[in-house]
Amino acid sequence: MRTGFAVLAGAAVLAATGCGSGRLSHDSFVQHADAICAAYDAKVKLLTHPASYDAIVSYVARTLPLYLAAVDKLKALEPPAADEAAVQEWLKQDDKLAAALRTLRDAAMRHDLAGTNEASAAVQSASLAGRQAAAALGMSPATLKRRWSLARAW
């Protein structure tokens, strides 16, 4: 009888904490996402920001894979169901930012001033939308600053 009670009590604790479902609590999701963003920032903070077409191409070539790896880690997190829509919006902006960075790189490779300016504006727009989506989730102010260090280059 005691064994059955212990099993039920253990199951109730797991259900209450969200363990076993794979989903993180809101606070745990934010903490994990903040850590992913901090690790990304540590990898790119020492890189010089580009000031020429060739430097833009080189910068994106070095940082975009790191950014995409961080986004993949964020996508692997399982947010609480209540945050799912907000997280998907945030990740959608990450995808837009990555696409804009590719466009920026391609324009810089062509030495296309108008294309570079247009892509730079798209990077800034996706960056702002991403920061707003991350802020709505309660990401730390430090994360909001470092999360978009790729976009700050422009």
Side-chain angles (χ1 to χ4, degrees):
M1 181 80 143
R2 287 184 186 260
T3 303
F5 177 73
V7 169
L8 287 175
V13 168
L14 286 175
T17 60
C19 295
S21 71
R23 290 198 174 269
L24 299 169
S25 69
H26 174 80
D27 290 342
S28 184
F29 175 83
V30 169
Q31 183 179 22
H32 281 80
D34 279 343
I36 291 167
C37 295
Y40 163 77
D41 185 57
K43 292 177 184 175
V44 299
K45 72 179 178 180
L46 299 178
L47 297 176
T48 0
H49 294 291
S52 69
Y53 290 124
D54 291 340
I56 290 170
V57 172
S58 176
Y59 186 82
V60 174
R62 287 181 295 176
T63 57
L64 187 58
L66 299 172
Y67 181 75
L68 294 173
V71 171
D72 285 345
K73 288 178 183 178
L74 291 171
K75 288 179 178 180
L77 296 176
E78 294 188 48
D83 289 341
E84 187 72 35
V87 169
Q88 290 308 311
E89 177 59 29
W90 181 33
L91 295 174
K92 181 174 83 173
Q93 298 309 320
D94 283 336
D95 290 340
K96 286 182 180 180
L97 180 56
L101 286 165
R102 287 183 189 100
T103 302
L104 178 66
R105 176 201 58 208
D106 294 347
M109 289 174 79
R110 295 187 310 271
H111 292 212
D112 175 359
L113 180 60
T116 301
N117 287 340
E118 186 177 311
S120 179
V123 167
Q124 293 299 323
S125 176
S127 175
L128 175 60
R131 281 195 307 271
Q132 290 169 338
L137 282 165
M139 299 297 290
S140 74
T143 293
L144 295 176
K145 286 181 185 175
R146 67 178 169 249
R147 176 84 180 100
W148 307 104
S149 56
L150 245 180
R152 287 193 310 239
W154 326 114

